[in-house]
Amino acid sequence: MARIGVFVCHCGENISATVDVARVASEAAKIPGVVHSVDYKYMCSDPGQQLVKAAIQEKGLTGVVVAACSPRMHEPTFRRACAEAGLNPFLCEMANIREHCSWVHEKGEATTHKAIDIVRTLVAKVKKNRALQPIKVPVTKTALVLGGGIAGIQAALDIANAGHKVILVEKEPSIGGHMSQLSETFPTLDCSQCILTPRMVEVAQHPNITLHSYSELEGLDGFIGNFKARIRRKARSLDEKLCTGCGLCTQKCPLRRIPSEFDAGLGLRPAIYVPFPQAVPNKPVIDREHCTYYRTGKCRLCEKVCPTQAIRFDQPDEIVEADVGAVVVATGFDIKHADFFPEYGYGKYKDVIDGLQFERLASASGPTLGEIRRPSDGKVPETVAFIACAGSRDPAKGIEYCSKICCMYTAKHAMLYRHKVHHGRPVVFYMDIRAGGKMYEEFVRRAMEEDGVQYVRGRVSRIYERGGKLVVKGADTLLGARPVELEADLVVLATAGVAQPGAEDLAQRLHVSYDAHRFYAEAHPKLRPVETNTAGIFLAGACQAPKDIPESVAQASGAAAKVGALFSQSELVREPLIAVVDRQAPPVYSSCSGCFLCQGACPYQAIKREEIRGRDGQLIKTVAKVNPGLCQGCGTCVALCRSKSIDIQGYSHEQVYSEVLALLNRGERDG
Amino acid sequence: MKTGFYPGCSMKGSAREYSESLLAVARELGRELPEVPDWNCCGATAAHNLDRDLALALPARILAAAERQGMAEVLVPCAACYSRLSVTRHELLEDEELRRRISALVAADYRGSARVLNIIEWLEAVPDLEARVRAPFARKVACYYGCLLVRPAGIVKFDRPEDPQSLDRLMRRLGAEPIDWAFKTECCGAGFSVSRTDLVAELSGRILEDAVSRGAEAVIVACPMCHLNLDMRRPNIEKRAGRKFRIPVIYVTQAVGLAMGLKTKALGLQRHKVSPSALLAPASVQPAAGATSASGDSPAGAGSPAGERRP
Amino acid sequence: MSSDKHAHPARKDLAARVLDRTGVDVARCYQCGKCSAGCPLASEMDFPPSQVMHLLQLAGMGPEYADMALRSHTVWLCLTCEICFCRCPMELDIPAVMDALRHESLRQKKVNPRARSILAFHRAFLDSVRYTGRLFEMGQVVDYKLRSGHFLQDLLQAPWMFLVGKLHLLPERVRDRRALKRIFAGTRQAGEERP
């Protein structure tokens, strides 16, 4: 026989101002099964909790209803109190008479009646509650970091330095990402390579980090603490153990006219290549698409010159499987290129370049060894137009957001140009200057005041070529929107930062959500910025939104801290409010008919097939089974199940029906 | 499929050679082009500058008349008329209430069934154009689209609005070499020809300047207004620019006619302010692939046997 | 693109009326200036297109802003070449706004005096269409000269045009004159009265 205790809270005046709480308590006492009913000013206070604990012990309660605030607020408080008094915490329910009643209604009879009704439904429910045990899942203390740019490097090092194993996967032949392509970095103008390469080397040498470069994630299964990753190690076409990185093969390769990805198409590379001299790992890779041997079956020069016989033309891709407990996604971003802009020539003008290309021109390791020379004829440009917001803040082009980094790097580009070409004239066309950040505004001021960069406020309408010059048609909106026509030798577009080409595909493999622009979605824009909605998968860097280096690094360290917190426990405890499939004694075994409609509907891939076998091993039937580690208790499968064979623990059909019935039957008594 | 023809006012007057050359080409192609019966002026710039309903009603009456004749499409060679008719069709199909109101004004239930076709669409649909080229138009040409063939892109849905290519492709099929230039879609001054000739001289001058500086031998147009400004306003242009431009401006249909070996008179080439006689002299560039070479003499008289042509 | 934030039926400012007539919400303009940068006649205008948009944005601040827009030379200089609309990052149909402003400017009799010849030409054009259904170029030019006072301008072109067969002395006419009459009667043109 149920023995239910009801505890009605005044919440100061929050509830008692509009609800007659004493009435609620006295009415609750009349509900069959209620053996104890009191009201108190602050039930969540220590004395209030004491009331609950004492009643459990003295009256031998089998269930508790606290009529107070939202369960989001204090359900954990009262469940803990119940547990301390020896009652299973899942036998405690909250009747929300604050948010659902006192706060939203005027004082009056009807309001008190509604509060009584709410209590009545919860009493009906708690009578059907069963004692539940929390779910415990083990944690594999290895993290998978996807992407070896600065965000991935930072996350990997932080996690590894905390003493955990890390698997770092990078799709390019070397780690380093976009940061390795940059010349100098704002707002301090320190050399990008100089601050990055030590980190890259640290990654390579760290005993806790396993690096898979030239590799991609094939698939990810499992759940927080217990993921299984499949990683495709693309064939480098050489034996990495034998290769010493001497570079002879890359020097002898006769094919030298392939546009270099690292130099953003401005430089050339051979078919067997290391992306850049400081690459990690410093081992070449054969570009099978261009290599003469793969195209014609002839050449093999690299194989002949290799002193260690490391070349393996027939090397297959390799699939590596790994158990990991957490994933940090740090796959970075891409930029739009000049061909995205019809009004700027669809990319047909060689001297209209994007920001990354300018970085390579300005970089000492770039195709011009750091001299600013324009791509068409190698001349030093006398006038350079920098165009901010190229594609960003442009709904007509499908990109309404601000790419955030362009104002700063444009100021930097103009500055670097001026430092390298003293007589040069840099002109920046901009709409607004967004320089929020430590020393950022000061940096932009420096460009204008010390380096004499001209700023013209107005968006450029068009660029065309005339007699070896690029005619830039802008306007000065600070001078009556007067048209400005500038003859430039080089135009640098600060093109929009966009998601990686494969972002959508990877998101689907990871089961993480993404926004309309294919940037990965954080769980909460303010309070959970490094987590995804999938437990155990975290975000770092520009795969979430365009970010500069300091922000990417900060977010990476944040993600690493989250991973560290997860790995600080050997087991994860979760609420057992999950779906279960009916199981019963032979000869029925389970009412599940095995239609598996639930399996396709489950958004968390939590439903698997289970074969029920007799003692002789004969298959009796195949039924659905819920993986308690993955199930989030959303109830989609319950709604879909035709034979009502799935139920949510704590929110069973029986419990919900009795709540509804309590409301329906109330009429008979209350008239 | 029945294709109607809406000449518009200028093709009956100041641009009559556009009409003459179009009809000569159509005759040669064996295409009939029945005029939309009892057509009226589309209202041009004046109507939409002064009154929105008038700007919609005048074209709506034309389109409704074409519909009544069962015309599935209406060829509108004048780019300005093409724009007015396209915009009207678009707006009336978008807004049912407006469609009803304008229908009442023109006393016809306008449905929007007749598609509006520009001259390039009509010409590029000729499948065997290359085969009909008897005297390849082997010239460096500046294809001038002007404003209204390609804009507003969301309404005319023809070619790309920046650096369009359709006319260039068409001219290539005639054996011409279109230049890559910067003023394909810059405005010539349009309807200001009479009221603000000074502005037209300035804007049109820039267009000619660019075409000439890149070595074009002719400007190819598809709009009477553009032609008027670039050809008839040449004295004004030259006075303002302080230099002479000898480059002739011809209609695309005249270029097609010349390539097909039609008589210059039939194409109305004598009606230009700037004589196109230079275009009748021996060709300067090798004919592009796709067109066979002819003797290179006067295109009007030239002709190679049909059997030698390859598609 | 409709928005109900200007939904004050009693006193709608010019921006609200433009929104009603064109569907263009001028609040969306963020003053990048790309329209002015590409406009072929921006340098001739008193207010380049982006500034006209800004005047409309300020229309709620006081009547003088709307007045500046309606009295501007710009609205009459606009050639409707559509390049601003084509390149506007916010996809604002500025040529449609210019049309609406012209109509309003006529209605409120605020036409900029410098636009006299342009307006005279438009009116002469429509007169010709009103009476014959088609443009009678000869008649229009004569009409325009009377309206604008530019009697000598272009006089030298006429003999040449006549000579090459481009100028007709008699107009072509639409047969169904009543249909035309109905259209012109049904559209209350603000431009009918002489300036």
Side-chain angles (χ1 to χ4, degrees):
Chain A
M1 186 56 203
R3 296 177 61 79
I4 311 298
V6 176
F7 300 85
V8 185
C9 180
H10 299 205
C11 197
E13 287 201 336
N14 274 298
I15 297 171
S16 62
T18 52
V19 172
D20 182 348
V21 282
R23 243 316 273 298
V24 176
S26 65
E27 285 298 318
K30 297 177 194 164
I31 303 171
V34 174
V35 296
H36 182 80
S37 180
V38 291
D39 60 283
Y40 186 69
K41 198 153 181 92
Y42 290 109
M43 204 59 85
C44 60
S45 66
D46 243 18
Q49 290 186 45
Q50 211 49 52
L51 285 179
V52 179
K53 289 186 197 172
I56 291 171
Q57 281 159 350
E58 286 160 19
K59 300 270 174 93
L61 299 183
T62 62
V64 165
V65 173
V66 182
C69 53
S70 160
R72 290 213 153 228
M73 189 78 202
H74 275 307
E75 192 179 72
T77 313
F78 292 108
R79 286 197 164 161
R80 205 179 311 120
C82 289
E84 281 165 19
L87 184 72
N88 181 289
F90 296 96
L91 298 175
C92 169
E93 293 286 350
M94 300 290 292
N96 183 357
I97 60 168
R98 192 177 74 173
E99 284 85 342
H100 286 180
C101 188
S102 72
W103 274 1
V104 290
H105 300 300
E106 303 286 312
K107 177 177 181 159
E109 188 72 358
T111 306
T112 302
H113 268 287
K114 181 174 172 184
I116 296 167
D117 282 344
I118 294 172
V119 172
R120 201 189 307 284
T121 59
L122 270 301
V123 170
K125 182 187 179 194
V126 82
K127 286 186 202 164
K128 308 285 184 189
N129 277 20
R130 283 187 216 152
L132 299 175
Q133 299 308 322
I135 299 168
K136 290 181 179 170
V137 286
V139 176
T140 308
K141 294 186 183 180
T142 299
L144 173 68
V145 177
L146 299 175
I150 183 58
I153 289 174
Q154 181 73 29
L157 287 174
D158 283 359
I159 297 167
N161 288 337
H164 305 296
K165 296 281 180 204
V166 175
I167 297 168
L168 177 59
V169 176
E170 166 57 50
K171 75 172 190 302
E172 299 297 330
S174 167
I175 59 171
H178 286 311
M179 188 177 165
S180 64
Q181 293 175 280
L182 308 184
S183 52
E184 271 93 33
T185 54
F186 61 80
T188 45
L189 290 191
D190 36 2
C191 152
S192 187
Q193 289 265 2
C194 312
I195 55 177
L196 177 66
T197 38
R199 295 293 179 94
M200 292 164 60
V201 173
E202 206 181 328
V203 165
Q205 294 175 345
H206 205 293
N208 280 346
I209 299 178
T210 307
L211 173 60
H212 294 298
S213 58
Y214 207 47
S215 303
E216 286 180 60
L217 183 79
E218 277 281 295
L220 184 79
D221 291 318
F223 52 93
I224 180 169
N226 299 273
F227 294 108
K228 215 174 239 335
R230 268 173 304 116
I231 298 154
R232 174 179 295 272
R233 287 178 60 96
K234 293 177 280 187
R236 274 183 185 266
S237 311
L238 55 82
D239 186 331
E240 278 183 74
K241 288 196 188 73
L242 293 178
C243 173
T244 60
C246 71
L248 216 56
C249 53
T250 62
Q251 287 160 27
K252 296 289 179 196
C253 176
L255 202 65
R256 315 201 64 85
R257 305 212 52 83
I258 304 163
S260 155
E261 295 82 356
F262 182 74
D263 280 334
L266 293 183
L268 300 169
R269 64 160 172 83
I272 182 165
Y273 70 105
V274 178
F276 53 104
Q278 299 79 6
V280 169
N282 197 1
K283 306 271 164 91
V285 47
I286 297 180
D287 169 2
R288 292 189 178 182
E289 195 195 325
H290 291 100
C291 168
T292 311
Y293 172 69
Y294 288 100
R295 291 164 68 94
T296 66
K298 293 202 179 75
C299 185
R300 303 183 80 128
L301 198 60
C302 49
E303 190 181 43
K304 278 171 215 132
V305 300
C306 179
T308 59
Q309 282 84 47
I311 303 292
R312 297 285 180 273
F313 286 112
D314 55 355
Q315 190 178 54
D317 287 0
E318 184 191 350
I319 303 288
V320 178
E321 295 212 342
D323 290 323
V324 295
V327 182
V328 177
V329 187
T331 45
F333 71 110
D334 194 6
I335 57 162
K336 285 288 180 197
H337 303 290
D339 58 4
F340 182 64
F341 301 90
E343 70 276 39
Y344 302 157
Y346 292 103
K348 74 177 173 188
Y349 305 127
K350 274 186 167 174
D351 296 327
V352 177
I353 61 174
D354 59 53
L356 265 182
Q357 290 177 313
F358 188 85
E359 293 287 348
R360 296 314 300 148
L361 287 185
S363 169
S365 70
T368 56
L369 303 176
E371 286 184 44
I372 308 293
R373 294 183 174 278
R374 63 183 204 170
S376 64
D377 54 11
K379 278 191 196 141
V380 174
E382 309 281 313
T383 301
V384 181
F386 295 90
I387 299 180
C389 287
S392 306
R393 303 174 67 196
D394 195 335
K397 290 190 163 46
I399 303 174
E400 54 277 294
Y401 57 84
C402 163
S403 290
K404 205 174 182 183
I405 54 176
C406 335
C407 283
M408 290 307 296
Y409 80 62
T410 294
K412 179 191 76 178
H413 285 173
M415 217 184 242
L416 290 179
Y417 166 61
R418 198 58 201 275
H419 293 174
K420 285 166 187 274
V421 183
H422 298 299
H423 64 283
R425 182 165 63 132
V427 182
V428 176
F429 290 89
Y430 74 105
M431 285 167 52
D432 299 292
I433 298 173
R434 297 179 171 177
K438 202 168 176 176
M439 298 302 289
Y440 282 16
E441 172 64 14
E442 295 89 324
F443 183 79
V444 176
R445 294 306 319 163
R446 210 175 108 198
M448 293 181 194
E449 293 167 18
E450 288 175 28
D451 294 301
V453 180
Q454 299 285 343
Y455 272 73
V456 178
R457 197 203 168 278
R459 205 168 196 153
V460 170
S461 168
R462 195 172 169 223
I463 297 169
Y464 61 89
E465 182 268 331
R466 184 175 66 202
K469 298 267 187 188
L470 292 159
V471 180
V472 179
K473 285 190 65 159
D476 192 328
T477 58
L478 302 180
L479 264 185
R482 186 168 24 190
V484 173
E485 207 168 278
L486 179 75
E487 285 202 341
D489 302 295
L490 179 70
V491 176
V492 184
L493 304 177
T495 57
V498 294
Q500 283 277 8
E504 199 167 357
D505 183 44
L506 180 66
Q508 283 162 4
R509 262 178 281 163
L510 292 167
H511 311 297
V512 299
S513 40
Y514 47 95
D515 66 21
H517 299 289
R518 301 179 300 116
F519 286 115
Y520 298 148
E522 64 281 8
H524 187 283
K526 289 164 213 104
L527 301 179
R528 295 171 69 196
V530 305
E531 296 160 76
T532 65
N533 270 325
T534 306
I537 302 185
F538 305 95
L539 300 175
C543 63
Q544 182 245 349
K547 284 193 186 67
D548 60 17
I549 296 167
E551 262 193 290
S552 297
V553 170
Q555 199 190 12
S557 288
K562 287 279 173 191
V563 172
L566 175 61
F567 287 179
S568 68
Q569 326 155 58
S570 51
E571 283 184 327
L572 292 175
V573 180
R574 299 187 53 229
E575 284 207 326
L577 305 180
I578 56 163
V580 285
V581 179
D582 172 72
R583 292 301 293 268
Q584 44 187 295
V588 180
Y589 296 98
S590 169
S591 61
C592 172
S593 64
C595 72
F596 293 103
L597 277 177
C598 53
Q599 194 174 27
C602 177
Y604 305 100
Q605 285 76 41
I607 297 179
K608 298 277 174 290
R609 287 166 182 260
E610 182 187 27
E611 293 178 344
I612 301 177
R613 292 178 185 276
R615 283 197 191 131
D616 51 357
Q618 269 303 93
L619 179 66
I620 295 162
K621 70 194 291 189
T622 307
V623 298
K625 183 179 169 67
V626 177
N627 180 332
L630 288 176
C631 176
Q632 302 292 314
C634 72
T636 307
C637 54
V638 178
L640 214 70
C641 180
R642 294 173 178 185
S643 58
K644 292 193 170 41
S645 300
I646 314 189
D647 229 342
I648 299 272
Q649 294 190 142
Y651 291 92
S652 65
H653 284 117
E654 196 188 15
Q655 287 169 305
V656 176
Y657 285 142
S658 45
E659 286 187 68
V660 176
L661 285 173
L663 279 180
L664 293 175
N665 294 338
R666 156 205 64 146
E668 293 160 22
R669 279 193 306 276
D670 295 352
Chain B
M1 191 164 64
K2 196 164 160 188
T3 304
F5 171 41
Y6 174 72
C9 308
S10 12
M11 290 187 72
K12 294 287 179 180
S14 55
R16 67 183 280 187
E17 69 272 29
Y18 192 7
S19 174
E20 286 166 346
S21 55
L22 167 61
L23 293 174
V25 166
R27 213 172 303 123
E28 184 74 7
L29 293 172
R31 301 277 183 105
E32 283 198 46
L33 283 178
E35 279 188 20
V36 173
D38 200 32
W39 56 267
N40 53 273
C41 170
C42 71
T45 316
H48 79 79
N49 266 234
L50 301 187
D51 189 283
R52 179 171 186 237
D53 279 3
L54 184 65
L56 293 171
L58 290 172
R61 181 176 176 270
I62 301 161
L63 289 168
E67 259 177 34
R68 256 198 314 275
Q69 290 292 306
M71 292 167 173
E73 45 188 34
V74 183
L75 169 61
V76 187
C78 165
C81 302
Y82 165 72
S83 170
R84 293 325 307 164
L85 266 59
S86 300
V87 166
T88 298
R89 179 166 184 259
H90 175 84
E91 292 204 5
L92 298 191
L93 288 181
E94 288 276 289
D95 184 342
E96 175 60 19
E97 200 256 304
L98 189 65
R99 186 191 70 80
R100 266 190 243 140
R101 191 152 53 84
I102 300 296
S103 286
L105 260 181
V106 301
D109 186 26
Y110 173 63
R111 311 299 319 179
S113 62
R115 217 166 71 84
V116 181
L117 215 60
N118 68 40
I119 188 68
I120 303 174
E121 287 174 299
W122 186 77
L123 284 170
E124 71 187 359
V126 176
D128 55 348
L129 194 62
E130 290 87 341
R132 292 172 181 274
V133 171
R134 291 159 153 249
F137 195 84
R139 306 282 169 178
K140 284 177 100 171
V141 294
C143 294
Y144 179 62
Y145 297 73
C147 309
L148 300 174
L149 273 181
V150 290
R151 293 194 295 261
I155 291 176
V156 296
K157 295 192 177 68
F158 169 70
D159 210 332
R160 53 188 201 185
E162 305 279 359
D163 193 12
Q165 294 296 325
S166 50
L167 184 53
D168 295 60
R169 275 196 301 272
L170 187 70
M171 289 308 296
R172 234 174 255 126
R173 287 172 71 189
L174 303 179
E177 183 191 313
I179 60 161
D180 183 16
W181 64 310
F183 281 72
K184 276 182 178 180
T185 57
E186 294 290 311
C187 185
C188 65
F192 284 179
S193 197
V194 175
S195 54
R196 289 299 303 267
T197 317
D198 56 328
L199 298 179
V200 164
E202 171 67 28
L203 297 179
S204 293
R206 288 186 212 161
I207 293 165
L208 293 180
E209 180 102 45
D210 196 60
V212 168
S213 72
R214 292 172 204 260
E217 295 169 85
V219 178
I220 310 294
V221 298
C223 173
M225 235 176 1
C226 303
H227 191 272
L228 184 76
N229 288 339
L230 295 173
D231 179 68
M232 206 178 83
R233 289 298 178 201
R234 189 65 62 90
N236 307 69
I237 294 172
E238 290 178 339
K239 196 170 164 207
R240 192 170 175 102
R243 60 170 288 197
K244 293 273 175 209
F245 295 103
R246 294 206 165 70
I247 187 169
V249 181
I250 66 168
Y251 288 104
V252 57
T253 42
Q254 292 176 316
V256 173
L258 283 175
M260 286 164 74
L262 302 183
K263 296 258 192 302
T264 56
K265 199 113 190 194
L267 300 171
L269 281 162
Q270 75 284 8
R271 300 192 200 277
H272 292 334
K273 190 96 185 168
V274 180
S275 164
S277 59
L279 298 177
L280 311 176
S284 63
V285 295
Q286 285 299 310
T292 47
S293 84
S295 59
D297 294 334
S298 162
S304 55
E308 281 181 23
R309 286 183 234 118
R310 254 172 284 139
Chain C
M1 233 199 282
S2 79
S3 141
D4 55 6
K5 70 177 160 212
H6 302 295
H8 272 291
R11 276 190 53 205
K12 282 190 171 181
D13 65 28
L14 185 57
R17 292 197 297 277
V18 164
L19 175 65
D20 282 350
R21 254 172 260 156
T22 65
V24 176
D25 182 357
V26 295
R28 281 172 49 80
C29 170
Y30 56 12
Q31 290 295 311
C32 71
K34 199 174 185 182
C35 49
S36 301
C39 177
L41 290 183
S43 51
E44 303 288 328
M45 292 172 172
D46 41 2
F47 297 101
S50 58
Q51 294 208 322
V52 170
M53 297 299 276
H54 194 46
L55 288 173
L56 292 177
Q57 291 175 330
L58 296 178
M61 302 250 300
E64 65 271 31
Y65 298 102
D67 219 55
M68 279 193 262
L70 294 177
R71 292 186 191 280
S72 71
H73 193 193
T74 300
V75 294
W76 298 102
L77 280 177
C78 165
L79 286 157
T80 323
C81 76
E82 305 274 353
I83 199 79
C84 52
F85 182 27
C86 174
R87 292 183 185 146
C88 175
M90 286 294 177
E91 296 171 281
L92 299 175
D93 190 345
I94 302 171
V97 173
M98 293 294 178
D99 267 350
L101 292 180
R102 282 189 278 258
H103 305 162
E104 183 102 9
S105 171
L106 280 168
R107 234 189 317 276
Q108 297 190 22
K109 301 203 185 333
K110 290 181 177 170
V111 176
N112 187 296
R114 279 187 287 167
R116 220 174 59 136
S117 61
I118 294 170
L119 187 59
F121 179 81
H122 291 328
R123 282 181 170 150
F125 187 104
L126 283 193
D127 273 357
S128 169
V129 178
R130 185 198 318 267
Y131 300 124
T132 62
R134 291 185 190 170
L135 172 65
F136 173 41
E137 286 168 327
M138 178 84 162
Q140 187 219 349
V141 168
V142 172
D143 187 354
Y144 163 71
K145 289 186 183 307
L146 290 174
R147 284 169 180 275
S148 67
H150 297 158
F151 300 111
L152 294 176
Q153 179 198 330
D154 261 351
L155 221 54
L156 296 173
Q157 292 283 6
W160 173 78
M161 283 184 74
F162 184 69
L163 213 65
V164 296
K166 289 187 173 205
L167 208 55
H168 301 284
L169 295 177
L170 289 174
E172 288 209 16
R173 285 177 188 278
V174 166
R175 282 193 305 279
D176 187 356
R177 297 291 317 288
R178 281 164 63 192
L180 262 298
K181 222 171 166 180
R182 196 170 46 237
I183 290 175
F184 274 87
T187 55
R188 195 186 58 76
Q189 281 170 88
E192 275 180 75
E193 67 280 349
R194 300 208 164 204

